[in-house]
Amino acid sequence: MRTFYPEIEPYETGMLEVGDGQSIYWEASGNPDGKPAVYLHGGPGGGSSPKQRRVFDPEKYRIVLFDQRGCGRSTPHASEADADLATNTTWHLVADIEKLREHLGIDRWLVCGGSWGSSLALAYAETHPDRVTELVLRGIFTLRPVELDWFYEGGAAAIYPDLWEEFIAPVPVDERGRLIEAYGRLLHDPDQAVRERAGVAWSTWESSTITLLQQPETIARFTEPSFAVAFARIENHYFTNRGWFEPNQLIRDADRLKDIPGVIVQGRYDMCTPAFTAWELHQAWPEADFRLIPDAGHTFDEPGNLDAIIEATDRFAL
């Protein structure tokens, strides 16, 4: 079973001004003359991490990571009390990816992403199919109401009733019928303590349920208050607006991907982005390889998911 390539450090980093007062952090590692690949992190608002470099063979790939607007090392940061998310939308991020590609002098690249990163990868590839050599997607998420309702409005409570009680605790009882909306108010409350309690509760729910077995280090990273508030605010902003997608847009337009080699990796026991969405994408994009991992949840570093992702990047490196 494949596992992470050795730890590496970037050979180049920078901040790219993308407009609207926003600057995004980016980095490149691996082989400067290798095959270009970009990794799109999840959330939205999750930020990049050193582990994401390690799903690519560093001798064969020029590995690009970046922090999307408002998170990670990008500025301004969404944890700031006066952070304005009006210019943080899916289509701003698609444009940012193109700006970064042009800035780095890359003609075409492999695009890899999981969870929200799969949503963004699909939006980018369906908009700019001529710029994508291959797609490697994991934990498919398209921000449809049925997906959001499952995880944030009570469906997954059937599996995690104990954790659900903690998730709804900050929300007044009479507002629990529309939790995404209620959290939107809490996350923008003028009181910092209210914002932080809501952000930590939101991020605790997500980080506690995304793996088949809980990972304490993942929960600790997600629930650091500054990270948690930015993460929860950006996610809530995107979910409230359904990603600025037309109904079923990403699956509807999957025919635009038919000439792009692709792999869809999906954990059977993914509670965050259940397998029905990956299956529907597979039906709409039959040209892609579909890998349903029998003993994995949502995250990319669970052994079965990781093996399938690295098998794909190794295959496409040739």
Side-chain angles (χ1 to χ4, degrees), residues 6 22 30 41 77 99 115 122 126 156 164 170 210 311:
Q22 305 280 328
H41 68 69
H77 199 265
K99 287 186 175 76
S115 191
L122 287 168
E126 290 174 4
W164 185 254
I210 56 176
E311 188 279 329

Side-chain angles (χ1 to χ4, degrees), residues 174-250:
D174 61 352
E175 296 182 25
R176 292 178 182 175
R178 299 175 64 89
L179 287 164
I180 292 175
E181 181 180 309
Y183 260 101
R185 290 190 289 273
L186 293 171
L187 290 164
H188 290 86
D189 193 278
D191 186 336
Q192 181 179 351
V194 173
R195 295 195 304 273
E196 287 191 356
R197 184 187 182 210
V200 169
W202 178 286
S203 301
T204 299
W205 164 250
E206 186 156 336
S207 59
S208 299
T209 55
I210 56 176
T211 49
L212 189 58
L213 300 176
Q214 285 188 357
Q215 297 176 348
E217 66 280 7
T218 298
I219 298 171
R221 181 172 65 85
F222 271 65
T223 54
E224 186 280 318
S226 177
F227 177 96
V229 171
F231 178 73
R233 272 184 160 183
I234 296 172
E235 281 202 335
N236 185 274
H237 171 62
Y238 274 71
F239 300 164
T240 297
N241 290 284
R242 300 292 192 262
W244 299 270
F245 295 126
E246 297 172 7
N248 206 39
Q249 180 176 342
L250 295 179

Side-chain angles (χ1 to χ4, degrees), residues 19-269:
D20 309 309
Q22 305 280 328
S23 294
I24 61 170
Y25 166 85
W26 63 269
E27 63 175 53
S29 57
N31 181 353
D33 298 316
K35 177 173 181 168
V38 62
Y39 192 103
L40 306 181
H41 68 69
S48 60
S49 76
K51 278 187 175 182
Q52 293 163 357
R53 306 168 191 150
R54 299 172 60 196
V55 302
F56 304 98
D57 184 337
E59 295 184 0
K60 296 180 178 178
Y61 278 101
R62 179 185 179 187
I63 306 158
V64 178
L65 273 58
F66 73 98
D67 292 332
Q68 296 159 28
R69 294 187 180 206
C71 70
R73 285 157 284 190
S74 295
T75 58
H77 199 265
S79 64
E80 297 172 10
D82 58 351
D84 182 2
L85 299 180
T87 59
N88 192 336
T89 74
T90 301
W91 306 112
H92 285 91
L93 300 188
V94 167
D96 292 350
I97 297 170
E98 272 296 272
K99 287 186 175 76
L100 181 59
R101 181 190 62 76
E102 293 170 354
H103 176 73
L104 297 175
I106 292 170
D107 181 52
R108 303 171 72 223
W109 49 7
L110 180 151
V111 179
C112 180
S115 191
W116 160 252
S118 76
S119 320
L120 185 56
L122 287 168
Y124 176 76
E126 290 174 4
T127 305
H128 300 286
D130 57 327
R131 297 302 180 186
V132 180
T133 55
E134 299 92 9
L135 279 169
V136 179
L137 308 178
R138 183 267 314 157
I140 307 304
F141 181 42
T142 67
L143 281 77
R144 296 177 298 174
V146 65
E147 299 168 44
L148 295 170
D149 287 352
W150 161 260
F151 196 59
Y152 295 100
E153 298 290 357
I159 312 299
Y160 296 108
D162 50 341
L163 300 177
W164 185 254
E165 285 299 310
E166 298 177 18
F167 177 62
I168 64 175
V171 180
V173 173
D174 61 352
E175 296 182 25
R176 292 178 182 175
R178 299 175 64 89
L179 287 164
I180 292 175
E181 181 180 309
Y183 260 101
R185 290 190 289 273
L186 293 171
L187 290 164
H188 290 86
D189 193 278
D191 186 336
Q192 181 179 351
V194 173
R195 295 195 304 273
E196 287 191 356
R197 184 187 182 210
V200 169
W202 178 286
S203 301
T204 299
W205 164 250
E206 186 156 336
S207 59
S208 299
T209 55
I210 56 176
T211 49
L212 189 58
L213 300 176
Q214 285 188 357
Q215 297 176 348
E217 66 280 7
T218 298
I219 298 171
R221 181 172 65 85
F222 271 65
T223 54
E224 186 280 318
S226 177
F227 177 96
V229 171
F231 178 73
R233 272 184 160 183
I234 296 172
E235 281 202 335
N236 185 274
H237 171 62
Y238 274 71
F239 300 164
T240 297
N241 290 284
R242 300 292 192 262
W244 299 270
F245 295 126
E246 297 172 7
N248 206 39
Q249 180 176 342
L250 295 179
I251 293 176
R252 181 198 70 195
D253 293 344
D255 62 315
R256 300 179 185 179
L257 310 175
K258 64 180 183 299
D259 296 325
I260 300 175
V263 176
I264 301 167
V265 177
Q266 178 68 41
R268 168 74 78 181
Y269 296 104

